[in-house]
Amino acid sequence: MPSARDTRAFDVPAFLSALRKAGCSLGEPFEYHALATSTNDLAKAGARAGASAGATILTDEQSAGRGRHGRSWQAPPASALLFSVVLRPQLDPARLSLLTLAAGLGVREAIAATVDAPIGIKWPNDVYSGGRKLAGILVESEMTAGRASAVVLGIGINVGVHEFAADLRGRAATLAELGASVTREALLVSVLVKVEGWLCALEANQTRRVVAELERWDVLLNQPIGVEGEQGVARGIDAEGRLRFEVGDTIRAVASGTISWEPARIDPVSQ
Protein backbone atom coordinates (compact mmCIF):
# COMPACT_ATOMS: atom_id res chain seq x y z
CA MET A 1 0.00 0.00 0.00
CA PRO A 2 1.48 3.40 -0.94
CA SER A 3 2.59 5.56 1.98
CA ALA A 4 4.16 8.97 2.49
CA ARG A 5 7.62 7.34 2.20
CA ASP A 6 6.74 5.22 -0.83
CA THR A 7 8.31 6.60 -3.99
CA ARG A 8 7.60 3.52 -6.11
CA ALA A 9 7.02 4.54 -9.70
CA PHE A 10 3.79 3.52 -11.36
CA ASP A 11 4.12 0.00 -12.84
CA VAL A 12 3.04 0.58 -16.44
CA PRO A 13 3.34 -3.04 -17.69
CA ALA A 14 1.30 -4.37 -14.75
CA PHE A 15 -1.37 -1.74 -15.32
CA LEU A 16 -1.64 -2.37 -19.07
CA SER A 17 -1.83 -6.13 -18.57
CA ALA A 18 -4.70 -5.74 -16.08
CA LEU A 19 -6.45 -3.14 -18.24
CA ARG A 20 -6.46 -5.40 -21.29
CA LYS A 21 -7.82 -8.29 -19.24
CA ALA A 22 -10.64 -5.99 -18.07
CA GLY A 23 -11.52 -5.14 -21.68
CA CYS A 24 -11.84 -1.41 -21.03
CA SER A 25 -11.75 1.01 -23.97
CA LEU A 26 -10.34 3.81 -21.80
CA GLY A 27 -6.69 3.84 -20.77
CA GLU A 28 -4.88 3.46 -24.09
CA PRO A 29 -2.78 4.80 -25.62
CA PHE A 30 -1.13 5.30 -22.24
CA GLU A 31 1.51 7.88 -21.39
CA TYR A 32 3.42 7.91 -18.10
CA HIS A 33 5.46 10.74 -16.56
CA ALA A 34 7.39 10.59 -13.30
CA LEU A 35 6.82 14.36 -13.03
CA ALA A 36 4.47 16.59 -15.01
CA THR A 37 3.14 20.10 -14.70
CA SER A 38 -0.51 19.09 -15.24
CA THR A 39 -1.89 15.94 -16.82
CA ASN A 40 -4.91 17.94 -18.00
CA ASP A 41 -2.68 20.35 -19.90
CA LEU A 42 -0.81 17.47 -21.52
CA ALA A 43 -4.06 15.70 -22.41
CA LYS A 44 -5.55 18.88 -23.91
CA ALA A 45 -2.48 19.31 -26.07
CA GLY A 46 -2.82 15.70 -27.13
CA ALA A 47 -6.50 16.16 -27.92
CA ARG A 48 -5.73 19.16 -30.13
CA ALA A 49 -3.13 17.04 -31.92
CA GLY A 50 -5.72 14.34 -32.62
CA ALA A 51 -5.34 11.93 -29.68
CA SER A 52 -7.97 9.20 -29.82
CA ALA A 53 -10.74 8.74 -27.29
CA GLY A 54 -9.45 6.84 -24.30
CA ALA A 55 -5.91 8.22 -24.45
CA THR A 56 -4.66 8.52 -20.87
CA ILE A 57 -1.81 10.42 -19.25
CA LEU A 58 -0.66 9.66 -15.70
CA THR A 59 2.01 11.15 -13.49
CA ASP A 60 3.49 10.25 -10.12
CA GLU A 61 3.77 13.93 -9.24
CA GLN A 62 2.37 17.22 -10.55
CA SER A 63 4.10 20.57 -10.19
CA ALA A 64 1.08 22.60 -11.33
CA GLY A 65 -1.90 20.36 -10.70
CA ARG A 66 -5.20 22.16 -10.28
CA GLY A 67 -8.88 21.76 -9.55
CA ARG A 68 -11.89 23.97 -10.22
CA HIS A 69 -11.42 27.75 -10.20
CA GLY A 70 -7.64 27.26 -10.50
CA ARG A 71 -7.23 25.76 -7.02
CA SER A 72 -3.98 23.82 -6.66
CA TRP A 73 -3.74 20.07 -6.14
CA GLN A 74 -0.65 18.96 -4.22
CA ALA A 75 0.52 15.52 -3.13
CA PRO A 76 3.90 13.89 -2.46
CA PRO A 77 5.32 11.64 -5.21
CA ALA A 78 3.47 8.32 -5.70
CA SER A 79 0.95 9.09 -2.94
CA ALA A 80 -1.97 9.89 -5.26
CA LEU A 81 -3.51 8.64 -8.48
CA LEU A 82 -3.20 11.59 -10.87
CA PHE A 83 -4.33 11.15 -14.45
CA SER A 84 -6.33 12.58 -17.35
CA VAL A 85 -8.32 10.86 -20.08
CA VAL A 86 -9.21 12.21 -23.52
CA LEU A 87 -12.89 11.70 -24.36
CA ARG A 88 -14.80 12.48 -27.53
CA PRO A 89 -18.41 12.22 -26.31
CA GLN A 90 -21.50 12.68 -28.45
CA LEU A 91 -23.10 15.14 -26.05
CA ASP A 92 -24.52 18.65 -26.33
CA PRO A 93 -22.55 21.27 -24.36
CA ALA A 94 -25.51 21.66 -21.99
CA ARG A 95 -25.04 18.08 -20.83
CA LEU A 96 -21.32 18.27 -20.10
CA SER A 97 -22.00 18.97 -16.43
CA LEU A 98 -23.65 15.57 -16.28
CA LEU A 99 -20.48 14.07 -17.71
CA THR A 100 -18.53 15.36 -14.70
CA LEU A 101 -21.09 13.84 -12.34
CA ALA A 102 -21.25 10.54 -14.22
CA ALA A 103 -17.48 10.28 -14.00
CA GLY A 104 -17.78 11.01 -10.29
CA LEU A 105 -20.11 8.05 -9.93
CA GLY A 106 -17.47 5.82 -11.49
CA VAL A 107 -14.75 7.15 -9.19
CA ARG A 108 -17.05 6.72 -6.18
CA GLU A 109 -17.90 3.15 -7.14
CA ALA A 110 -14.25 2.16 -7.61
CA ILE A 111 -13.24 3.72 -4.30
CA ALA A 112 -16.18 2.18 -2.43
CA ALA A 113 -15.00 -1.29 -3.47
CA THR A 114 -11.76 -0.76 -1.53
CA VAL A 115 -13.10 0.45 1.84
CA ASP A 116 -15.89 -0.20 4.34
CA ALA A 117 -16.57 3.52 4.92
CA PRO A 118 -19.50 5.27 3.19
CA ILE A 119 -18.42 7.09 0.04
CA GLY A 120 -20.51 9.90 -1.47
CA ILE A 121 -20.61 12.51 -4.22
CA LYS A 122 -20.39 16.24 -3.51
CA TRP A 123 -21.73 18.38 -6.34
CA PRO A 124 -20.25 19.18 -8.72
CA ASN A 125 -16.97 17.26 -8.83
CA ASP A 126 -15.75 15.74 -5.57
CA VAL A 127 -15.86 12.36 -3.83
CA TYR A 128 -16.18 12.44 -0.05
CA SER A 129 -16.18 10.19 3.00
CA GLY A 130 -17.01 11.25 6.55
CA GLY A 131 -17.05 14.90 5.55
CA ARG A 132 -13.56 14.74 4.05
CA LYS A 133 -12.50 14.89 0.41
CA LEU A 134 -10.94 11.80 -1.16
CA ALA A 135 -10.97 12.68 -4.84
CA GLY A 136 -11.58 15.52 -7.25
CA ILE A 137 -12.54 15.71 -10.92
CA LEU A 138 -11.79 18.46 -13.42
CA VAL A 139 -13.42 18.39 -16.87
CA GLU A 140 -12.16 20.77 -19.54
CA SER A 141 -13.49 20.98 -23.09
CA GLU A 142 -12.03 21.66 -26.51
CA MET A 143 -14.86 23.31 -28.46
CA THR A 144 -15.39 23.21 -32.23
CA ALA A 145 -18.45 24.79 -33.93
CA GLY A 146 -20.27 25.07 -30.61
CA ARG A 147 -19.72 21.43 -29.64
CA ALA A 148 -17.12 19.70 -27.53
CA SER A 149 -14.80 18.08 -30.07
CA ALA A 150 -12.87 16.65 -27.15
CA VAL A 151 -13.24 16.56 -23.40
CA VAL A 152 -10.38 16.03 -20.99
CA LEU A 153 -11.35 14.26 -17.80
CA GLY A 154 -8.82 14.91 -15.04
CA ILE A 155 -8.99 12.85 -11.84
CA GLY A 156 -6.99 13.02 -8.63
CA ILE A 157 -7.44 10.45 -5.84
CA ASN A 158 -5.65 10.51 -2.48
CA VAL A 159 -4.30 6.97 -2.09
CA GLY A 160 -1.38 6.70 0.35
CA VAL A 161 -1.08 8.36 3.74
CA HIS A 162 0.56 11.75 3.60
CA GLU A 163 0.64 14.99 5.52
CA PHE A 164 -1.81 17.53 4.16
CA ALA A 165 -1.19 21.25 4.10
CA ALA A 166 -2.52 23.12 7.13
CA ASP A 167 -5.59 24.44 5.29
CA LEU A 168 -6.62 20.89 4.29
CA ARG A 169 -6.13 19.08 7.59
CA GLY A 170 -9.42 17.66 8.76
CA ARG A 171 -10.95 18.36 5.34
CA ALA A 172 -9.12 15.79 3.20
CA ALA A 173 -8.57 12.05 3.57
CA THR A 174 -6.75 9.20 1.86
CA LEU A 175 -7.79 5.66 1.01
CA ALA A 176 -5.01 4.30 3.21
CA GLU A 177 -6.46 6.15 6.22
CA LEU A 178 -9.79 4.45 5.55
CA GLY A 179 -8.18 1.01 5.56
CA ALA A 180 -7.80 0.41 1.84
CA SER A 181 -4.96 -1.82 0.66
CA VAL A 182 -4.92 -1.26 -3.07
CA THR A 183 -2.20 -0.53 -5.59
CA ARG A 184 -2.49 2.51 -7.79
CA GLU A 185 -2.34 0.23 -10.82
CA ALA A 186 -5.34 -1.85 -9.72
CA LEU A 187 -7.27 1.24 -8.66
CA LEU A 188 -6.72 2.95 -12.01
CA VAL A 189 -8.07 -0.08 -13.88
CA SER A 190 -11.14 -0.15 -11.64
CA VAL A 191 -11.75 3.60 -12.00
CA LEU A 192 -11.49 3.44 -15.80
CA VAL A 193 -13.88 0.48 -16.02
CA LYS A 194 -16.46 2.11 -13.73
CA VAL A 195 -16.18 5.54 -15.37
CA GLU A 196 -16.60 3.97 -18.81
CA GLY A 197 -19.79 2.26 -17.65
CA TRP A 198 -21.39 5.47 -16.41
CA LEU A 199 -20.31 7.48 -19.45
CA CYS A 200 -21.85 4.82 -21.70
CA ALA A 201 -25.07 5.10 -19.71
CA LEU A 202 -25.05 8.85 -20.27
CA GLU A 203 -24.43 8.56 -24.01
CA ALA A 204 -27.24 5.97 -24.19
CA ASN A 205 -29.61 8.65 -22.81
CA GLN A 206 -30.02 6.85 -19.49
CA THR A 207 -30.17 10.19 -17.72
CA ARG A 208 -32.78 9.06 -15.20
CA ARG A 209 -30.55 6.21 -14.10
CA VAL A 210 -27.56 8.54 -13.69
CA VAL A 211 -29.57 11.13 -11.73
CA ALA A 212 -31.14 8.45 -9.51
CA GLU A 213 -27.69 7.14 -8.61
CA LEU A 214 -26.48 10.66 -7.92
CA GLU A 215 -29.37 11.23 -5.54
CA ARG A 216 -28.51 7.99 -3.74
CA TRP A 217 -24.96 9.14 -2.99
CA ASP A 218 -25.45 12.94 -2.82
CA VAL A 219 -23.78 14.13 0.41
CA LEU A 220 -25.35 17.59 0.03
CA LEU A 221 -28.95 16.36 -0.31
CA ASN A 222 -31.21 18.25 2.13
CA GLN A 223 -28.17 19.85 3.78
CA PRO A 224 -27.85 23.55 4.61
CA ILE A 225 -25.33 25.10 2.22
CA GLY A 226 -24.22 28.44 0.86
CA VAL A 227 -23.93 29.29 -2.83
CA GLU A 228 -21.82 32.36 -3.54
CA GLY A 229 -22.56 33.53 -0.01
CA GLU A 230 -26.34 33.03 -0.14
CA GLN A 231 -27.70 30.54 2.39
CA GLY A 232 -30.23 27.83 1.59
CA VAL A 233 -30.75 24.06 1.34
CA ALA A 234 -29.52 21.62 -1.31
CA ARG A 235 -32.43 19.70 -2.85
CA GLY A 236 -30.64 17.33 -5.19
CA ILE A 237 -29.42 17.38 -8.78
CA ASP A 238 -31.61 17.90 -11.84
CA ALA A 239 -31.58 16.13 -15.22
CA GLU A 240 -29.03 18.61 -16.61
CA GLY A 241 -26.60 18.14 -13.74
CA ARG A 242 -27.48 21.39 -11.99
CA LEU A 243 -27.77 21.75 -8.22
CA ARG A 244 -31.31 22.37 -6.98
CA PHE A 245 -30.91 25.15 -4.41
CA GLU A 246 -33.80 26.15 -2.16
CA VAL A 247 -33.94 29.64 -0.71
CA GLY A 248 -37.15 30.46 1.14
CA ASP A 249 -40.04 29.20 -0.99
CA THR A 250 -38.04 29.11 -4.22
CA ILE A 251 -35.92 26.34 -5.73
CA ARG A 252 -33.57 27.38 -8.48
CA ALA A 253 -31.10 25.46 -10.62
CA VAL A 254 -27.44 26.34 -10.08
CA ALA A 255 -25.14 25.49 -12.99
CA SER A 256 -21.91 26.60 -11.31
CA GLY A 257 -20.71 28.36 -8.23
CA THR A 258 -18.72 28.08 -5.03
CA ILE A 259 -20.41 25.91 -2.41
CA SER A 260 -19.90 26.40 1.32
CA TRP A 261 -20.84 23.44 3.47
CA GLU A 262 -20.14 22.30 7.03
CA PRO A 263 -20.30 18.50 6.83
CA ALA A 264 -21.24 16.33 9.77
CA ARG A 265 -18.69 13.69 10.68
CA ILE A 266 -21.02 11.10 9.16
CA ASP A 267 -22.22 11.75 5.63
CA PRO A 268 -26.00 11.71 5.04
CA VAL A 269 -25.61 8.72 2.69
CA SER A 270 -24.45 6.54 5.60
CA GLN A 271 -27.49 7.18 7.77
Side-chain angles (χ1 to χ4, degrees), residues 4 17 34 36 45 57 100 109 134 177 199 224 231 257 269:
S17 176
I57 296 175
T100 303
E109 197 171 354
L134 283 169
E177 289 178 70
L199 295 183
Q231 301 303 305
V269 294

Side-chain angles (χ1 to χ4, degrees), residues 111-160:
I111 288 175
T114 71
V115 298
D116 291 330
I119 308 296
I121 298 284
K122 175 182 174 289
W123 185 91
N125 67 326
D126 293 329
V127 176
Y128 266 63
S129 180
R132 295 190 296 164
K133 180 176 175 176
L134 283 169
I137 298 163
L138 177 63
V139 170
E140 297 181 299
S141 303
E142 290 292 325
M143 305 298 292
T144 302
R147 294 182 66 88
S149 58
V151 171
V152 168
L153 172 63
I155 296 174
I157 303 174
N158 297 323
V159 181

Side-chain angles (χ1 to χ4, degrees), residues 44 77 82 95 104 121 142 145 147 178 186 206-207 209 214 216 219:
K44 286 195 295 180
L82 306 169
R95 301 186 68 203
I121 298 284
E142 290 292 325
R147 294 182 66 88
L178 298 182
Q206 297 176 12
T207 304
R209 178 184 167 212
L214 287 169
R216 180 183 180 191
V219 300

Side-chain angles (χ1 to χ4, degrees), residues 8-34:
R8 181 182 60 84
F10 190 84
D11 189 334
V12 177
F15 159 69
L16 290 175
S17 176
L19 180 73
R20 289 161 187 167
K21 288 179 182 178
C24 184
S25 68
L26 304 182
E28 293 192 89
F30 185 76
E31 187 178 312
Y32 164 75
H33 298 265

Side-chain angles (χ1 to χ4, degrees), residues 62 64-67 71-75 80 82 133-136 156-158:
Q62 288 189 133
R66 64 183 184 279
R71 299 186 183 100
S72 64
W73 178 287
Q74 299 177 353
L82 306 169
K133 180 176 175 176
L134 283 169
I157 303 174
N158 297 323

